[in-house]
Each structure stands twice: as C-alpha cells, then as structure tokens.
Amino acid sequence: MGHHRHALRTSAVGAVSAALIAGTALGLAPTAQAAAAAVRFVDIAGDGGTVLKANVVTPAGADGSRRYPLLVMPTSWGLPQVEYLAQAQKLADSGYVVLTYNVRGFWQSGGEIEVAGPPDVADASKVIDWALANTPADAQKVGMAGVSYGAGISLLAAAHDKRIKAVSAMSGWADLIDSIYSGRTQHSQATALLGVAGTITGRPSAELQQTLKDFFASNLSKEQEMIAWGKKRSPETYVDQLNKNGAAVFMANGWGDTIFAPNQYAKFYEELTGPKRLEFRPGDHATAELTGLFGLPNDVWTDTGRWFDHYLRGVDNGIDREQPVQLKPRTTGAYEGYPDWKSVGATRKKIALAGTTTIHTNVDSGADGGTIFLSSILDQIAQVPPMASIPLLPRRWAAVWQSERYASVQRVRGTTTLHTTLTPTKESGTLVAYLYDVGPLGLGKLVSNAPYTFYGQTPGEPFGVDLELYSTAYDVPAGHRLALVVDTVDPLYIEHNPSGAQLTFSSPANDPSYVSVPLREQ
C-alpha cells in the first residue's frame, strides 16, 4: 500500500507540476523579452533537520550589491513546490526575493503532515533563516503569503516570528474548528476531501489519522481533545501575539468557500489591531486565486502585490487609504468598500418565524447546500447557486417560512442569524438552516446556510437555538421573497438524528422566533 501511494504521489507531482509550469510559460509569454528572474531549486533544513524542498527566485541582475524584500510562500495542501512559480517570477521582477517551499509531509519534503502544527510554524522561521543567510534578502523587510494551507501557516508564523512584517493570507482559516466543525457539526465532504488529498500527496501523521478517525466516528469522548488540537492550529488563538508583532495582514476569501467559510475570517479581521485589509469575492475554496497561479490577471494576486509593495517596499500606491473591507457581491460585478466589517450590514430586517411547526428527521427534503466546489464554482461563473422549489418541499421533512414579496431590491450583506425555540423528541439531533431567494414561480436560489447539532437535551423540553448562517453578499431582486427552510439532512454534513426523531419549532410570546437579515443601506 505504501508503494502504491508513493507511485500515485510521483505520478501526480509530474502532472501537477507540468500543468503549473506550462501555465506559467503562457502567463509570462508577453514579458519573455525581458531579463528573466533567476530560479534555483534548493533543499532547506526545517525544524529538527527535516528536509524541505524549495525554490528561490531572485530579481534579474541581483549581484549581492543590494538587498531585496523577502517573500516566503508555503504551499497549499497537496500541491507541489512549483505552485507559486508564475507569481514568484512576477514578484521577483518587481524587486523581491521569493522563496516558495513544500510544507513538511507533502510531496518530496520530509516529515509527516502536522496540519499547521508547531513544527510547521518552526519550519517557516527556519526557511526565513536560510533565505537571509543564502540570498540577497533584507532582514528588515520580510513577508509571507500563501493560498489555503499556506495562508494558515503564514498567519501562524507571523504571530510567532517578529521578523514577518506583512502577510497575504488567501482562502485560509483563522479558526480551524469553526471551519470544519461549526455548530458542533462535522463538515464531512470538506474534511474527507482534505483527508484523501493528504493521503495521496503526502504522509499523514499518526495524530492526524487518529483525529480524523475520531472526527468521522463522532466520538464525543474525544471532542474536547479534538477542539484543543484545532485551537493549537488556529491563528485566532494567537491574535494577541500577532497584534503585538504588528504585521500588516491582508486576507481574502470566497463567499462560497466550503472548507473555510467566510465567517471565521470576518471575526478574526475585527480582532486585528494593526494594518489590515479584508476581501471577499464569489467562489469556492481557492477558486478566486486560481487563475493567478498560471500567471493570468487576477484581482487577489494584484492586491497581494500592492499590499507588499506598500508595507515592504514603501511604495505609496494608496492601498492604505482605500476602504479596508472590499466585497464583490455574488450577483453584481462591482466591488463595494466599507470602513470595517460591522458596517457591511448597516441595517437588519427581521422575518418572523410564527406558529408551531414539527418536522420528521432522517430524510433529505431536497433543500441542500450543494456539492463541495461544484456548486460554488457554478455560482461564481454563472450565478447559478443550489436551487429548490420552495412550494414543493415536503413539509413533513422541511419547515418553511417566507417573507412578504419585496417591492425593492434587498441587498443582503454580512451574517444572517437565526433565533428559534426547539423541542426535540430525542436528546440529540441536527438541523440545517437555509436562506433562499424565492422568485415569482417559487424557485428558490440558495443565499446561505449553516448546520447546528445538539446533545444532552431533555426530550420534550424546549430550548433556545441561536445560529449564524455563513456570511454572504447577495442581491434579492424586487418582486422576490426570502424564505427560511430548516431540515435535518444535507450531504455536506454528518447528521446526528436518532431514528424516528422529530423536531418542533415554536415562537413563544415572550421569546419570538425570527431570522435577522443584514442589509446594505439603500
């Protein structure tokens, strides 16, 4: 089995590397006449002597007579060291020494996959040490950047290494547990995808294998241990250190990121006290940055370059004077600027969830969050999110409430919240809430969703539920309604409803149930 995995890994690295290198050549073709940046493939001793495969790109003509800002870029989960080659060459042409490296446990680097654990953080500092000793890099101008796994490691490293002055974290995470276990519910598709990719392209550590086993087995006796494991790997845990170090932090993510939902980035952004910028766009995990990996024009990578130009090279390009929160709604092509995250949804509109509704569990009603990657990419490219016919949803398995028909466009911006009273017939259970944009014919387009799981409740006893749906920016057309749908089964998540369980939603007079929808000022 080990030999088979090695063969898969070797074959895959060739295919992925060839694709990235080919794309790099195409993307850089217009500048082929210019002097080329120098590329070296090197081995670097990481924490404990673990060999990290890396490449160094230096500006053309660098002869040791001057120093250049340094950018260190850890690779994404499962991708080889040539991942950033196109961007590294562009950045080197702009006057940076760029060092990209394969994180431990993946491809040809040594060690095992630690999931951004302490060895990965220590590796980043070792890589910086090597670059300062072996390249014309300026020790006073060090930055880190990465997509996905590389983004998380970059944020963690900036909290632990004062030399890092600026970070670009694209499609990363701030809270690992809130990303894959929000609402105490396992995000099964996302985590399974990471697990499979890690097994094919790397060597999962025994700790990671056991954590995944407990995760998918819903082993509650290991829940606190799993949470502690995740918190150790979450930049939010070290936000005070990061603020103390003062690194300038740029973060970008997709509204439909099915691995690292935007909520946790938005919360983390509000906790940062140094120079900061937050950007959200349509798309799924890392899809907004993808074209940039092939050297093609890309908004995220353009702003990453501007961020480093200002905070490492001192270029007065105005990025520090722009509105620091930049959002591109899913339904329009124009960016919107805000002074902070709390200003995104300036007003809120409540939809009352009146009456008492009982649903049966264990059956998918047809309201779903979609399929990882596929659904959000369709929404990104064609504005076709997951859909459901709201009138045809079976009320035995789905609770449905609808707003009035709106006379004007409703610009949903930010985080929708649900408050309700739930009475279960069993001590545990799972519900999934969906917010839909419903047209005149009853066809609902998914605006947002989120899961919620409970344990240890007394059957027949009501309790309050407060749930944040995933943050988004979506325009509901005039003449449409908003609908809240709640059911108990979704392929994206593991559900915990005992056989035959029922859930009753009510709205007591002294504690009414509602959905609170954040809206941009008209």
Side-chain angles (χ1 to χ4, degrees):
M1 180 63 73
H3 175 75
H4 180 61
R5 283 202 303 267
H6 178 75
L8 280 172
R9 193 178 305 131
T10 302
S11 300
V13 71
V16 175
S17 299
L20 287 169
I21 291 171
T24 297
L26 290 171
L28 296 179
T31 58
Q33 300 302 317
V39 182
R40 286 190 293 149
F41 290 86
V42 300
D43 290 351
I44 297 175
D47 186 52
T50 297
V51 174
L52 304 175
K53 296 293 183 177
N55 59 68
V56 182
V57 188
T58 51
D63 57 7
S65 62
R66 58 168 290 195
R67 295 285 168 179
Y68 300 90
L70 170 67
L71 293 181
V72 172
M73 304 173 72
T75 52
S76 301
W77 185 275
L79 289 184
Q81 59 173 311
V82 296
E83 174 188 4
Y84 303 119
L85 189 56
Q87 288 299 325
Q89 290 181 314
K90 286 188 173 185
L91 289 163
D93 289 342
S94 298
Y96 295 90
V97 171
V98 186
L99 193 156
T100 78
Y101 70 96
N102 235 130
V103 290
R104 65 170 53 223
F106 284 101
W107 298 108
Q108 306 307 314
S109 285
E112 297 178 327
I113 301 172
E114 301 289 346
V115 195
D120 291 302
V121 178
D123 282 345
S125 292
K126 291 288 187 181
V127 169
I128 293 172
D129 292 342
W130 187 94
L132 295 178
N134 294 278
T135 74
D138 188 338
Q140 304 304 313
K141 298 177 180 179
V142 178
M144 285 194 69
V147 176
S148 184
Y149 197 38
I153 291 174
S154 294
L155 288 171
L156 288 164
H160 289 83
D161 193 324
K162 296 179 181 179
R163 295 175 297 181
I164 300 169
K165 305 302 183 185
V167 172
S168 174
M170 297 167 272
S171 290
W173 75 92
D175 186 332
L176 190 57
I177 293 301
D178 194 41
S179 297
I180 63 173
Y181 192 59
S182 68
R184 289 185 84 182
T185 309
Q186 295 99 323
H187 296 210
S188 54
Q189 282 190 17
T191 309
L193 178 67
L194 293 174
V196 170
T199 300
I200 292 173
T201 63
R203 299 166 298 281
S205 66
E207 182 184 33
L208 172 56
Q209 293 181 58
Q210 186 60 52
T211 300
L212 289 175
K213 182 179 179 180
D214 293 337
F215 179 88
F216 286 110
S218 305
N219 188 346
L220 282 181
S221 68
K222 296 288 187 177
E223 184 182 40
Q224 292 308 309
E225 186 177 316
M226 181 191 72
I227 290 173
W229 174 88
K231 292 299 182 184
K232 184 186 293 185
R233 291 159 169 81
S234 297
E236 189 172 47
T237 302
Y238 312 99
V239 67
D240 290 342
Q241 291 175 231
L242 184 57
N243 286 333
K244 183 178 179 181
N245 290 348
V249 177
F250 168 80
M251 299 188 297
N253 203 356
W255 291 120
D257 195 320
T258 43
I259 297 179
F260 304 130
N263 299 45
Q264 41 94 37
Y265 247 20
K267 292 175 184 175
F268 184 64
Y269 174 83
E270 289 290 271
E271 296 171 358
L272 295 173
T273 57
K276 58 184 179 178
R277 182 179 177 97
L278 178 67
E279 297 184 355
F280 285 132
R281 297 173 176 82
D284 205 309
H285 184 65
T287 61
E289 301 89 357
L290 183 60
T291 57
L293 295 179
F294 296 98
L296 301 173
N298 181 279
D299 289 354
V300 189
W301 284 102
T302 295
D303 285 347
T304 288
R306 294 174 63 225
W307 190 253
F308 287 131
D309 282 349
H310 180 75
Y311 287 102
L312 293 185
R313 296 176 60 218
V315 177
D316 184 13
N317 55 19
I319 196 167
D320 57 318
R321 296 187 294 275
E322 295 172 1
Q323 295 277 40
V325 176
Q326 293 286 323
L327 311 181
K328 186 175 184 180
R330 291 161 50 197
T331 43
T332 68
Y335 285 90
E336 301 171 356
Y338 299 86
D340 48 41
W341 176 251
K342 64 178 178 289
S343 300
V344 170
T347 60
R348 301 191 76 91
K349 180 173 290 188
K350 287 186 177 181
I351 302 171
L353 309 181
T356 299
T357 302
T358 298
I359 60 173
H360 296 251
T361 64
N362 309 118
V363 174
D364 189 340
S365 71
D368 287 324
T371 302
I372 186 171
F373 285 123
L374 176 61
S375 298
S376 291
I377 291 174
L378 282 173
D379 188 36
Q380 176 184 359
I381 295 173
Q383 295 184 9
V384 181
M387 299 183 188
S389 175
I390 304 304
L392 297 182
L393 289 175
R395 276 19 181 202
R396 178 179 177 84
W397 295 296
V400 179
W401 298 267
Q402 296 192 73
S403 72
E404 76 280 5
R405 188 172 281 115
Y406 297 116
S408 60
V409 174
Q410 303 295 296
R411 305 188 190 282
V412 179
R413 301 288 186 274
T415 309
T416 295
T417 58
L418 164 66
H419 173 75
T420 189
T421 296
L422 174 62
T423 305
T425 59
K426 305 287 185 179
E427 63 89 27
S428 65
T430 297
L431 61 90
V432 185
Y434 309 89
L435 187 68
Y436 282 99
D437 160 24
V438 185
L441 299 180
L443 183 64
K445 295 183 177 181
L446 187 65
V447 177
S448 185
N449 78 101
Y452 178 90
T453 295
F454 61 89
Y455 297 100
Q457 296 295 331
T458 302
E461 291 292 325
F463 65 95
V465 172
D466 288 286
L467 176 63
E468 287 190 349
L469 277 62
Y470 302 137
S471 303
T472 195
Y474 182 100
D475 293 344
V476 179
H480 287 213
R481 308 172 186 267
L482 281 171
L484 181 80
V485 177
V486 179
D487 72 2
T488 62
V489 177
D490 190 303
L492 289 174
Y493 314 112
I494 293 178
E495 53 95 4
H496 301 273
N497 295 295
S499 180
Q502 299 177 31
L503 304 179
T504 297
F505 302 91
S506 58
S507 183
N510 62 345
D511 186 20
S513 296
Y514 60 84
V515 170
S516 178
V517 181
L519 299 175
R520 181 188 178 192
E521 286 187 285
Q522 302 298 316

